[in-house]
Structures are given as structure tokens and as C-alpha cells.
Amino acid sequence: MKHLVLLGGGYGNMRILLRLLPNQLPDDVTITLVDKVPYHCLKTEYYALAAGTISDHEVRVAFPEHSRLNLVFGEVTGIDLQNKQVHLENQESISYDDLVIGLGCEDKYHSVPGADQYTHSIQSIEKARHTYQTLSNLPAHSKIGIVGAGLSGIELASELRESRPDLDIKLFDRGPRILKDFPERLSQYIHKWFVEHGVEVINNANVTKVEPQTIYNHEDAFPMDAVVWTAGIQPNRIVRELDVEKDRSGRVKLTPYHNLPNNEHVYVVGDCASLPHAPSAQLAEEQAEQIVQVLAKRWNHEPLPAEMPEMKLKGILGSLGKKQGFGFVADRAITGRVARFLKSGVLWLYKYHNG
């Protein structure tokens, strides 16, 4: 029997399971999925969990059940590529024939002093829960700083505004305008929403230091009751420690077939993979589709295609609270209720197909 081990129950490995189970898994292959928690987490919705506008239950999806799928819940402590083993904390190591590493990402603090100690996070369900507890327990009129005005920062700020209209929220954006790489129309729409809803956007920000209850933008001190960091990500620590070739962002360089250049049995999916697009759930799923195709051909001893098709993303969708949204789909900017409806529909379809 061949043993396929999937590290991490995120979007990429969930798509691999969806494609292989229940009827596409070869008779001589078994799968082990390793994750810290006993359910798949909808990471794209952690902003709403942290803001308190959805419940914990709404960001969880059960892992599939199958006679040849073994679920192991625990912390990965290391990967031995030479001996084809995965080491777990306080558990026996797991041997593999093929391995897909999908361990996700962590916050990147860009060497800002105090950022890792004095800010909150939404990069894991545990951290999002802790952030929710902190934000929901703050007294009225508390000051909140959100560092980073990418998709996560925008959605967290808008959702928190709806959840806690009493809070004084400041969103620190490094660029000259929100989402500077997208059409200016989107930036103006989002900025206008924040102005109308009392969220202060600070453009051209450069957070230089974080102290308890104080954040420094350039040299100006801003008193804060809580700070949430949404200003960048990096691959999981386990991947950062792997002795393999990486790009400038620390993501693993891969062949066109998504495996390590010198190891056709080890694949990397999602936030840890060096790809031509920015990390996203959509990209992880597209990559997983191709990994399944490659695995199937290798298991059947069939030749691989001369080249893999280009991975094309459909665009982005973001929310501004529960009623408004924005997006960039098929090279067109969309705003308002239509964008929010589309995002809700995509989430519903995902839950339907994976639940």
C-alpha cells in the first residue's frame, strides 16, 4: 500500500481530499491527514470571528470520513525528508510515500520591535478566538489599531465597526491608498465607506514600534487599547526550517508539477509554495487540482504532461460589513450589495461542497 500524508487541513489539502474521495482513490493508496484541530477551518472568515459577527461554529467544516482516510490531530514538529518521516509532538512519527505540505502561514512582523508581543492576530483559529475575547471585552470608546490594510485588515475593520460601533478604530495603511494595486475606483469606494462609518484610515503609514497600549507610526505615538496585526504573512515555521530552496519570501521553490526539484514525492501547497500569484485560498485550491492530476499519473506510472496549464484566478471579493462589498472579477471592479452577495454565495457553495 502507498501512503499519502497531507500536512494541514487547509484549503489545498481539503481540495485534494474532495477530488480523491470517495471514489477516485486508487485501491492501493491510503491517506493520513494531520492537523492541529479536528475540523477544517474557514480561514478567510477569521476576520468576522475576531470581530464577533459570526460564531465559532460557522468557521468550521468537518473533515470527510472514509475507510482509507486516517485523521491524526497533533502538532508537527519536523519533517525528515531523507527518511520520509513526519515528526509529531508527543506522538509517534508518521512515515510517508508521498507527502503534501500545506501547513499554512504565520504573521510576518518585519522586525518591528514589540509587534510579536503586543499585537493580536487572526492567522489561526486559536489566535482569532483570543482576539475576539480581547476586542469584545474592551470597555466603550476604546481605541483599536489595525496594522495593514490588505483584504484581512479592511474586512476586520469594517466588521468590527458593525460589531462595536462605539470603538475608535484606526486602520494603518502602508500605501498611498487602500488596495493600491487595484483600480482606484475600488480604493475610493472602500475609503468612502470608512469615512462614512467613522473608521480613520492613515495612509503612508510606517509602524516602527509597538509598546503596551501604544503604537508608533513613524515617530508619532498613538495610544491604543488593542492592536491587531494584519500586515503580512510568512510560511509556517516548520517550512521555514526545511533545508530546501526558497524564494525571497521564504516560500518553497517547486517544479511545474508542484514537487520539490529533487524529490518527486514531496509537494507543497498553498501559502508555503512559491507561485506567481499572491497566496490565497483560491490559489491553493487551483494548485491542489493539479497536484491530484500529477499524483494520479505517477501512481499509474503514466508520463506527465510536457507542461502544466497556467493557474488562472477568478479575482478577489471582499466585504464591508454584512451589506456592502467590493471585488475585482474578470478585470472589472464591482462594489456594493452585488459584491457582498457574490462573496456570500461563494462561501455557501464552498460549505455545501465540503460539508
Side-chain angles (χ1 to χ4, degrees):
M1 293 288 284
K2 298 186 185 72
H3 190 200
L4 170 64
V5 174
L6 310 178
L7 299 185
Y11 292 95
N13 280 335
M14 278 293 282
R15 179 58 64 93
I16 289 175
L17 290 177
L18 180 67
R19 289 292 174 256
L20 291 177
L21 304 177
N23 301 317
Q24 302 303 314
L25 186 64
D27 292 338
D28 62 342
V29 177
T30 61
I31 303 176
T32 294
L33 172 69
V34 181
D35 199 275
K36 291 188 293 184
V37 295
Y39 37 75
H40 167 56
C41 299
L42 303 176
K43 188 174 183 179
T44 58
E45 305 305 304
Y46 283 174
Y47 71 91
L49 175 62
T53 55
I54 63 174
S55 69
D56 189 285
H57 180 73
E58 292 177 75
V59 298
R60 304 198 311 250
V61 174
F63 289 128
E65 296 180 0
H66 191 275
S67 60
R68 282 182 285 131
L69 171 62
N70 180 38
L71 301 175
V72 174
F73 304 121
E75 183 87 29
V76 176
T77 58
I79 302 171
D80 184 345
L81 297 175
Q82 187 169 358
N83 295 304
K84 305 180 78 170
Q85 286 196 327
V86 175
H87 301 304
L88 304 176
E89 186 176 40
N90 300 322
Q91 296 187 58
E92 291 186 4
S93 298
I94 299 174
S95 298
Y96 64 84
D97 294 298
D98 293 292
L99 178 70
V100 182
I101 303 171
L103 290 172
C105 62
E106 302 170 358
D107 289 296
K108 185 172 184 177
Y109 296 104
H110 308 285
S111 300
V112 175
D116 59 337
Q117 295 173 275
Y118 304 120
T119 68
H120 297 275
S121 171
I122 57 172
Q123 283 303 323
S124 70
I125 192 167
E126 300 96 330
K127 291 179 178 179
R129 286 170 179 153
H130 181 69
T131 300
Y132 161 70
Q133 292 288 342
T134 298
L135 297 179
S136 63
N137 287 326
L138 288 171
H141 311 301
S142 293
K143 298 180 183 295
I144 307 299
I146 299 173
V147 182
L151 193 59
S152 296
I154 291 168
E155 292 187 310
L156 176 62
S158 59
E159 207 82 4
L160 188 58
R161 167 52 71 230
E162 291 198 350
S163 173
R164 291 288 305 271
D166 60 287
L167 295 176
D168 177 0
I169 304 173
K170 288 180 171 57
L171 179 61
F172 294 85
D173 180 16
R174 191 175 183 87
R177 62 179 173 87
I178 288 176
L179 296 184
K180 63 180 178 62
D181 296 327
F182 291 90
E184 191 168 352
R185 175 190 166 194
L186 284 184
S187 301
Q188 292 175 345
Y189 177 81
I190 297 166
H191 190 91
K192 182 171 180 282
W193 191 98
F194 282 137
V195 170
E196 291 174 348
H197 291 81
V199 174
E200 183 181 358
V201 179
I202 300 175
N203 296 114
N204 298 307
N206 181 25
V207 174
T208 55
K209 183 169 57 174
V210 183
E211 294 179 346
Q213 297 191 307
T214 306
I215 187 172
Y216 291 84
N217 177 36
H218 299 283
E219 299 304 320
D220 298 327
F222 289 78
M224 291 289 163
D225 295 291
V227 177
V228 184
W229 191 270
T230 61
I233 58 173
Q234 61 183 340
N236 180 282
R237 176 185 62 83
I238 300 299
V239 173
R240 297 202 306 272
E241 293 175 354
L242 280 179
D243 185 18
V244 295
E245 188 178 3
K246 304 183 182 80
D247 63 17
R248 291 195 308 172
S249 298
R251 298 185 177 95
V252 179
K253 290 188 176 182
L254 303 170
T255 72
Y257 306 106
H258 309 289
N259 59 270
L260 298 182
N262 298 314
N263 192 333
E264 68 176 36
H265 297 288
V266 178
Y267 304 79
V268 182
V269 68
D271 297 340
C272 299
S274 180
L275 298 170
H277 304 282
S280 67
Q282 185 183 165
L283 181 61
E285 291 181 323
E286 287 293 310
Q287 191 189 5
E289 295 279 1
Q290 295 193 3
I291 289 175
V292 169
Q293 296 171 23
V294 172
L295 282 171
K297 287 189 176 296
R298 284 177 168 158
W299 286 336
N300 291 327
H301 306 289
E302 297 175 4
L304 297 178
E307 59 182 37
M308 299 298 288
E310 179 185 355
M311 290 185 291
K312 296 181 179 180
L313 304 184
K314 299 177 179 65
I316 67 161
L317 290 169
S319 65
L320 291 170
K322 297 302 183 194
K323 295 182 180 179
Q324 300 294 319
F326 58 92
F328 188 64
V329 180
D331 295 328
R332 293 184 58 186
I334 54 174
T335 57
R337 289 181 179 271
V338 171
R340 188 65 179 90
F341 177 78
L342 285 174
K343 180 177 179 182
S344 297
V346 169
L347 179 62
W348 183 89
L349 284 172
Y350 183 86
K351 286 184 174 182
Y352 176 80
H353 285 294
N354 288 278

